[in-house]
Amino acid sequence: MTYHLAYMNLRGRGEPVRWVLKALDVSFTEERIDVLTQWLSRKNEFEWGQTPVLMVDGVQLHQTTTICRYLGEKHHLASTDLWNATRQQEVVEAFHDVSFDFSLAFTARIKQDETLKNNSLEKARKRLLEIVLILESRITDQGWVLSHDMTWVDVFLAAYLESYSAYFPEILEGVSKTQALMECVMALPVIKAWLKIRPHWSSLEDPQNFL
């Protein structure tokens, strides 16, 4: 089985997929599409007109959460308890919903619409503060979300937490279990190695220039 990830030259919604692929220690190739110079001319290559896309033996698989869930279940990094897996998915979808506001802010920045950018970022910040409190309540004594062992959900959430906290460090205040989960995933040798070599933030999404 071969995997090829196509995403823009950003972290965004592609970063959780990268982390899950790394955590699984499966071989994959990646193509980074320049969002300013290549995306519009290549958009129609993708069935849903969006990325990330994971090519699985040449077949396109779309949507970040769908890709990560498939990988987790395929490679035995998923909860086998249907109820717990379903409640994990609640948290996953809530985090992914926030990425919509970040996408709006990102687009607004390209269009130099400061009002929309700031409003979208503030909406994301407030929602994240609410979501992280719920996440905190669902982390077990073993340190994982509704599981005794790490699943793809933990890796997915850690990737988003690492990115979102670069914009809003306060989302990790007072949630020790959530912070510990993120740090445990980041300490995995394969993730630790990735963090050392991954491309720096795109200038379009760099928190230092964005806020």
Side-chain angles (χ1 to χ4, degrees), residues 187-203:
L188 295 171
V190 286
I191 299 297
K192 193 173 182 178
W194 167 242
L195 295 177
K196 290 180 179 179
I197 65 171
R198 69 177 172 178
H200 188 68
W201 292 97
S202 160
S203 60

Side-chain angles (χ1 to χ4, degrees), residues 4 11 24 32 35-37 42 47 51 54 66 70 78 82 94 106 111 125 140 142 169 177 185 188 191 194 199:
H4 176 77
R11 294 187 186 177
L24 292 171
R32 291 175 178 261
V35 66
L36 294 179
T37 64
R42 297 199 54 194
E47 186 176 16
T51 57
L54 185 69
T66 300
Y70 166 77
L82 178 60
F106 177 78
K111 295 180 178 179
R125 188 187 72 83
T140 64
Q142 289 75 30
K177 289 183 177 180
V185 173
L188 295 171
I191 299 297
W194 167 242

Side-chain angles (χ1 to χ4, degrees), residues 101-121 210:
D101 294 311
F102 270 94
S103 296
L104 283 180
F106 177 78
T107 302
R109 185 165 188 258
I110 294 175
K111 295 180 178 179
Q112 299 182 332
D113 186 337
E114 286 294 308
T115 299
L116 178 59
K117 185 199 81 171
N118 292 333
N119 288 343
S120 299
L121 285 174
F210 205 95

Side-chain angles (χ1 to χ4, degrees), residues 139-210:
I139 297 176
T140 64
D141 291 340
Q142 289 75 30
W144 310 114
V145 180
L146 295 171
S147 176
H148 294 296
D149 303 299
M150 186 182 77
T151 69
W152 71 268
V153 171
D154 302 297
V155 180
F156 175 102
L157 295 177
Y160 266 136
L161 285 166
E162 191 261 347
S163 291
Y164 290 157
S165 62
Y167 293 88
F168 311 120
E170 64 269 27
I171 67 172
L172 294 177
E173 294 176 2
V175 284
S176 58
K177 289 183 177 180
T178 297
Q179 184 162 356
L181 181 151
M182 182 186 74
E183 291 173 352
C184 283
V185 173
M186 291 173 64
L188 295 171
V190 286
I191 299 297
K192 193 173 182 178
W194 167 242
L195 295 177
K196 290 180 179 179
I197 65 171
R198 69 177 172 178
H200 188 68
W201 292 97
S202 160
S203 60
L204 291 172
E205 62 176 349
D206 189 337
Q208 297 300 315
N209 303 323
F210 205 95

Side-chain angles (χ1 to χ4, degrees), residues 78-95:
S79 174
T80 56
D81 183 294
L82 178 60
W83 179 242
N84 284 340
T86 302
R87 296 187 72 224
Q88 286 178 332
Q89 191 73 21
E90 284 185 306
V91 185
V92 165
E93 294 298 338
F95 266 83

